[in-house]
Amino acid sequence: MTERADIVIIGAGVIGTSIAYHLARRGVAGSVIVLERERIASGTTSAAGGGIRGQFSTEVNIRFSVESVAFWRRWDEEIGLPVDYREEGYLLLATTPEEREQFKRNVALQNSLGVPSRFVEPDEAALLAPGLFVDDLSGAAYNATDGRAGPNEATQAFARRARERGVRIREGVAVTGIEVSSGRVRAVRTAEGAIETEHVIVAAGPWSRDVAALAGVDVPVYPYRRTIFLSEPFPMPDRFPVILDIHAGWTLIREGGGARISGQTDSRPSFDRSVDWGHLAISAEHAVHRYPPLRDARFGKRGYAGTYDTTPDNHGIIGEAPDVAGLYLCCGFSGHGFQHSPAAGRVTAELVLDGAARGIDIVPLALTRFRDGTSLWEPLTAYAGSHVRSNA
Ligand SMILES: Cc1cc2nc3c(=O)[nH]c(=O)nc-3n(C[C@H](O)[C@H](O)[C@H](O)COP(=O)(O)OP(=O)(O)OC[C@H]3O[C@@H](n4cnc5c(N)ncnc54)[C@H](O)[C@@H]3O)c2cc1C
């Protein structure tokens, strides 16, 4: 006998589990199935640094941040499982005069939407991040309420709370086909059989292009490897903001009793997750320049790589596919899917259940933007000028 579900979610990363949780909150858990070909949180969510920031430069991304930060702040009351949310601040660095002016515009937009960021001169940046080399900076932007939390913890917690309400999450089950007829989703196929459904949500992270192709829909989400290097134990200051050196595309984070740096994302799409030690020299050289105390740190033993879920304009894709009724996309978050997962889950649940999302205008995130010339642009809060660099 063929199984039936009202809603099938493909992918149990932080996005798929957040959608499941938000659907469950609406009381429809019993008719929701999540299919995950590996394990919960084993996809790109497992590589996320856990960064959470309001410092974006488009209205839609900032609104996702504002709503999500409110959710992270009330996580303990809402979810009641540990997620290690803490506000350590993010300091973004500008180098050129143009970047300085863009930072000021970004801060003004953020402030207008409720993010308490501020533009700071290089001298103040040096006080916020003691030891930072600032002589070549044209300015910086700081937000004390930016922070971090645990991506694995959040995903497991969303999954657990969804399951408790009745959502069925099946691990080790890959979706191999999506049946469409008369322009509408009818079923998903797996090695274990078919599930009849009229609503399928693609939440397959960097694999979303392949999954949506099963329904004949082209979704421009491309995988890019980014390698992270961790120092041996090293005395970083107790309080130190996350540093995004926008011009260099380089990140410094205080982590695990030492420093975590990353400096390059591959320029060609691939799912390769092996550590590219060839990137270490570039990252370490910039580390010594930007944060000279790191000349005494030892890198070279510990590193890992993850896969960015990148779209051509660095924004997620949310909405019903234009040519296939019942196929919903929630993917391509381009390096910020973890932090935006609370809002992404909420709006996607509403889109499927109510036909529209409240509160945030998600029309700019529709897939059609890539066809009709309304794609977005993130000036200088993604790394300079390239969609293949980091967005952590
Ligand atoms: C190095 C690195 C650092 C990052 N740092 C941050 C950060 O600081 N802050 C932030 O917000 N974001 C960060 N990100 C981005 C973040 O990790 C992603 O945006 C987010 O995890 C996407 O979640 P997801 O659920 O869409 O994807 P995933 O976690 O990849 O989940 C998708 C799931 O779909 C499953 N799947 C695929 N195909 C199928 C199929 N056919 N059938 C069934 N299941 C399938 C996969 O197994 C996978 O588990 C970072 C990413 C990287 C690589």
Side-chain angles (χ1 to χ4, degrees):
M1 201 175 71
T2 307
E3 201 176 3
R4 256 209 69 78
D6 285 345
I7 302 170
V8 172
I9 301 171
I10 305 174
V14 72
I15 295 293
T17 56
S18 174
I19 298 168
Y21 170 75
H22 282 89
L23 286 167
R25 277 190 69 192
R26 291 284 303 272
V28 297
S31 55
V32 178
I33 296 179
V34 183
L35 299 173
E36 165 55 54
R37 69 176 174 191
E38 292 186 18
R39 308 236 76 78
I40 293 168
S42 62
T44 196
T45 299
S46 64
I52 296 167
R53 61 187 163 102
Q55 296 194 75
F56 286 93
S57 51
T58 58
E59 180 171 338
V60 66
N61 267 347
I62 297 168
R63 289 195 187 281
F64 268 70
S65 293
V66 169
E67 175 171 329
S68 296
V69 166
F71 190 96
W72 294 118
R73 283 182 162 179
R74 65 169 195 278
W75 176 273
D76 289 348
E77 302 96 84
E78 168 115 12
I79 302 288
L81 295 165
V83 80
D84 196 20
Y85 175 67
R86 68 263 187 210
E87 297 184 354
E88 299 171 336
Y90 258 65
L91 185 66
L92 276 58
L93 311 181
T95 299
T96 67
E98 294 76 24
E99 289 167 2
R100 175 186 169 90
E101 293 314 308
Q102 185 62 51
F103 270 33
K104 288 183 176 174
R105 288 193 288 274
N106 291 347
V107 164
L109 179 63
Q110 290 154 14
N111 292 171
S112 75
L113 295 168
V115 176
S117 55
R118 59 197 171 87
F119 180 84
V120 296
E121 297 294 348
D123 286 356
E124 190 181 349
L127 296 175
L128 291 164
L132 199 72
F133 179 73
V134 298
D135 292 3
D136 58 349
L137 297 183
S138 60
Y142 178 68
N143 183 28
T145 64
D146 289 346
R148 300 178 70 202
N152 182 54
E153 291 86 339
T155 309
Q156 301 293 349
F158 277 138
R160 183 168 151 192
R161 293 299 187 231
R163 271 179 163 156
E164 284 167 357
R165 287 172 156 92
V167 172
R168 287 162 283 171
I169 303 180
R170 300 204 183 132
E171 298 172 86
V173 180
V175 172
T176 53
I178 300 175
E179 286 173 24
V180 177
S181 69
S182 306
R184 155 128 243 132
V185 164
R186 305 291 172 182
V188 297
R189 282 197 301 272
T190 76
E192 298 182 356
I195 302 173
E196 281 179 2
T197 183
E198 299 214 324
H199 304 96
V200 170
I201 304 173
V202 179
W207 298 274
S208 295
R209 188 163 194 236
D210 297 339
V211 170
L214 298 173
V217 176
D218 185 26
V219 174
V221 174
Y222 302 98
Y224 286 93
R225 175 175 61 171
R226 184 164 176 94
T227 302
I228 310 291
F229 303 104
L230 300 157
S231 75
E232 299 299 299
F234 178 78
M236 296 285 289
D238 282 346
R239 278 198 66 81
F240 198 81
V242 172
I243 306 292
L244 298 191
D245 188 332
I246 295 295
H247 191 81
W250 178 86
T251 311
L252 167 62
I253 302 177
R254 186 176 71 92
E255 186 164 292
R260 165 194 152 130
I261 60 171
S262 57
Q264 264 191 328
T265 304
D266 284 4
S267 55
R268 285 163 195 261
S270 92
F271 284 105
D272 183 359
R273 281 180 71 171
S274 62
V275 173
D276 184 346
W277 290 105
H279 283 172
L280 177 58
I282 302 166
S283 290
E285 188 183 336
H286 194 72
V288 171
H289 167 74
R290 184 56 68 213
Y291 188 64
L294 284 178
R295 78 170 74 83
D296 298 323
R298 287 161 63 98
F299 290 93
K301 284 199 183 148
R302 294 193 300 152
Y304 67 91
T307 309
Y308 270 115
D309 44 351
T310 305
T311 63
D313 65 1
N314 274 309
H315 284 72
I317 299 171
I318 301 182
E320 193 172 9
D323 304 322
V324 180
L327 186 78
Y328 297 87
L329 310 167
C330 187
C331 54
F333 287 91
S334 305
H336 49 259
F338 164 65
Q339 60 196 286
H340 285 171
S341 60
R346 197 265 305 166
V347 298
T348 304
E350 288 180 1
L351 189 63
V352 176
L353 296 180
D354 309 330
R358 285 176 296 113
I360 302 179
D361 178 13
I362 58 168
V363 170
L365 301 180
L367 177 64
T368 45
R369 73 184 191 263
F370 300 109
R371 285 188 201 163
D372 63 18
T374 56
S375 60
L376 298 150
W377 181 49
E378 261 286 339
L380 298 184
T381 53
Y383 284 130
S386 164
H387 72 278
V388 298
R389 292 181 169 202
S390 165
N391 229 357

